[in-house]
């Protein structure tokens, strides 16, 4: 908190901090904190004992730095990034998606696994948390309760999320005598002026006709997106972002009908999304990232090494 407030905000190294305390349990506390918060800045603990020894032995400080700065592999982080501290590159795509949402236009983000798609979506979400003009609802479609839900059940979840974001009570109107999409329509209409909502569907394949597991989405996908698209055409307060590996859900114009054998049905997602393909980092971005993080670990890369990494992995 101190590092994000005046006068330190934006003026100090965002990746490393030196922390002094006379508490004899300082080092064990820092070690536990780092393991529980792997995305946090590197914290180097200076105990009272270390500083006292440093009066006569400068290696006391050097050894403390070595033990804490050079043992952590900053490149070895496999989960989506939930903060800006280690987010690197992708500024153009993030800016495009943010701009689309503010214009109430839809975005599709596709790319190979582990290229950072979810990290981009979380970055977009953080951008709106700062600006406070757009509320975001994030659905991880590979999550079992989401992919096992029906079209109407997922719509109910959206209604509940809108109620939660804007202090409404539309969910109380949900019953067997009312169509859930009528309630969703009213919920979107009630969003305050100058406010918008963005519904994010990560891993969209799991709730689409190409899902190999939950076959009910062959029909429910059509019903869901026909309704969502209808609501969006009525109100400019809602937009959608989908993300996945396979862009078929946005690219193909028709799907095989689940109700009539041998017939096809129009894909309601076709031509309503601005599609982006997430590629590897450019050589310049890769060089800046490797240089930045490597220096925090005591590693230095020459241009030939960075070029080899780029040629071998394509910035992935």
């Amino acid at each position: 908190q101190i590092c994000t407030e005046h006068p330190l905000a934006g003026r100090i190294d965002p990746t490393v901090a030196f922390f002094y305390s006379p508490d004899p349990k300082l080092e064990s506390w820092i070690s536990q904190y780092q393991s529980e918060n792997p995305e946090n800045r590197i914290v180097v603990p200076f105990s009272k004992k270390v500083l006292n020894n440093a009066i006569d032995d400068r290696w006391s400080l050097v050894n403390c730095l070595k033990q804490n700065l050079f043992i952590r592999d900053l490149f070895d982080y496999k989960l989506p990034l939930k903060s800006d501290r280690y987010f690197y590159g992708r500024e153009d795509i993030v800016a495009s998606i943010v701009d689309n949402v503010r214009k109430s236009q839809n975005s599709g983000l596709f790319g190979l696994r582990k290229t950072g798609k979810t990290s981009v979506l979380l970055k977009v979400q953080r951008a709106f948390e700062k600006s406070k003009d757009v509320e975001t609802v994030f659905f991880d479609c590979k999550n079992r309760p989401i992919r096992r839900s029906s079209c109407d059940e997922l719509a109910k979840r959206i209604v509940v999320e809108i109620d939660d974001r804007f202090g409404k009570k539309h969910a109380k109107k949900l019953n067997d005598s009312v169509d859930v999409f009528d309630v969703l329509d009213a919920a979107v209409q009630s969003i305050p002026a100058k406010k918008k909502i963005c519904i994010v569907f990560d891993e969209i394949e799991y709730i689409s006709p190409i899902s190999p597991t939950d076959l009910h989405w062959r029909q429910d996908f059509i019903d869901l997106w026909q309704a969502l698209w209808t609501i969006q055409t009525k109100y400019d307060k809602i937009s959608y972002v989908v993300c996945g590996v396979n862009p078929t859900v946005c690219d193909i114009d028709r799907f095989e009908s689940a109700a009539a054998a041998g017939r096809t049905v129009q894909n309601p997602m076709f031509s309503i999304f601005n599609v982006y393909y997430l590629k590897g980092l450019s050589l310049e971005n890769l060089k800046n990232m490797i240089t930045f993080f490597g220096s925090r670990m005591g590693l230095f890369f020459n241009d030939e090494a960075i070029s080899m990494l780029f040629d071998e992995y394509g910035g992935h």
Side-chain angles (χ1 to χ4, degrees):
Q1 182 178 350
I2 291 172
C3 294
T4 58
E5 295 177 349
H6 180 79
L8 301 184
R11 302 178 64 186
I12 59 174
D13 190 306
T15 58
V16 182
F18 300 96
F19 187 37
Y20 165 75
S21 172
D23 191 327
K25 297 181 180 179
L26 172 65
E27 293 183 1
S28 61
W29 187 91
I30 291 293
S31 177
Q32 180 178 350
Y33 179 81
Q34 297 276 52
S35 64
E36 294 173 354
N37 300 272
E39 273 195 66
N40 212 310
R41 67 186 73 226
I42 300 172
V43 181
V44 180
F46 282 155
S47 65
K48 186 175 182 180
K49 179 181 178 181
V50 168
L51 295 183
N52 285 339
N53 291 340
I55 295 173
D56 300 316
D57 180 13
R58 71 183 183 91
W59 286 102
S60 177
L61 286 181
V62 174
N63 291 333
C64 185
L65 291 173
K66 286 183 177 180
Q67 291 170 7
N68 292 278
L69 282 182
F70 304 145
I71 62 173
R72 184 174 171 190
D73 186 355
L74 296 177
F75 296 114
D76 188 24
Y77 191 79
K78 298 179 174 63
L79 297 176
L81 298 175
K82 297 179 181 179
S83 74
D84 292 340
R85 182 160 294 115
Y86 296 136
F87 186 90
Y88 216 84
R90 316 301 195 194
E91 290 86 359
D92 291 344
I93 287 182
V94 170
S96 295
I97 295 176
V98 168
D99 186 54
N100 287 339
V101 171
R102 290 204 168 107
K103 294 177 180 177
S104 297
Q105 296 181 4
N106 305 320
S107 304
L109 181 64
F110 299 95
L112 297 175
R113 298 209 174 272
K114 308 308 293 183
T115 50
K117 298 185 298 297
T118 302
S119 294
V120 169
L121 296 182
L122 295 176
K123 171 69 172 177
V124 170
Q125 189 176 39
R126 291 194 299 273
F128 290 128
E129 287 174 355
K130 292 180 181 178
S131 63
K132 297 182 180 180
D133 57 337
V134 178
E135 296 289 336
T136 56
V137 177
F138 195 98
F139 290 114
D140 184 351
C141 300
K142 70 175 181 299
N143 191 15
R144 190 174 184 273
I146 301 299
R147 62 181 177 82
R148 286 290 185 91
S149 63
S150 66
C151 166
D152 286 6
E153 289 168 346
L154 186 53
K156 289 178 182 178
R157 288 177 180 270
I158 298 175
V159 171
V160 170
E161 293 289 350
I162 293 176
D163 284 355
D164 181 59
R165 298 299 194 281
F166 300 104
K168 306 295 182 178
K169 297 181 179 179
H170 295 282
K172 291 185 177 181
K173 302 175 184 178
L174 294 170
N175 55 61
D176 294 338
S177 63
V178 178
D179 191 295
V180 62
F181 284 101
D182 287 337
V183 179
L184 179 57
D185 185 292
V188 173
Q189 186 180 16
S190 71
I191 294 175
K194 297 183 180 180
K195 288 282 189 177
K196 294 179 182 290
I197 192 164
C198 176
I199 313 297
V200 180
F201 298 93
D202 194 13
E203 306 283 359
I204 186 65
E205 297 95 338
Y206 286 89
I207 59 168
S208 76
I210 63 175
S211 171
T213 53
D214 302 286
L215 301 182
H216 67 281
W217 282 107
R218 290 180 60 191
Q219 179 59 46
D220 281 10
F221 172 87
I222 304 298
D223 294 340
L224 176 68
W225 284 102
Q226 283 179 342
L228 292 180
W229 174 232
T230 299
I231 291 174
Q232 188 179 26
T233 58
K234 295 172 64 176
Y235 312 109
D236 63 351
K237 301 177 180 180
I238 190 169
S239 61
Y240 314 107
V241 176
V242 299
C243 177
V245 173
N246 194 327
T248 298
V249 292
C250 292
D251 285 350
I252 194 170
D253 62 337
R254 304 187 73 84
F255 283 113
E256 183 180 346
S257 172
R263 302 288 295 276
T264 61
V265 60
Q266 185 177 5
N267 176 13
M269 286 181 67
F270 181 67
S271 291
I272 68 170
F273 281 81
N274 298 300
V275 177
Y276 305 93
Y277 297 96
L278 198 63
K279 302 177 182 179
L281 294 175
S282 67
L283 178 59
E284 182 180 0
N285 277 335
L286 184 70
K287 180 178 180 179
N288 291 338
M289 183 186 71
I290 290 176
T291 302
F292 181 82
F293 290 120
S295 64
R296 270 68 179 170
M297 301 158 56
L299 299 174
F300 299 92
F301 299 81
N302 60 28
D303 290 341
E304 289 78 9
I306 294 174
S307 295
M308 185 277 291
L309 290 171
F310 182 78
D311 293 338
E312 188 72 18
Y313 302 106
H316 184 179

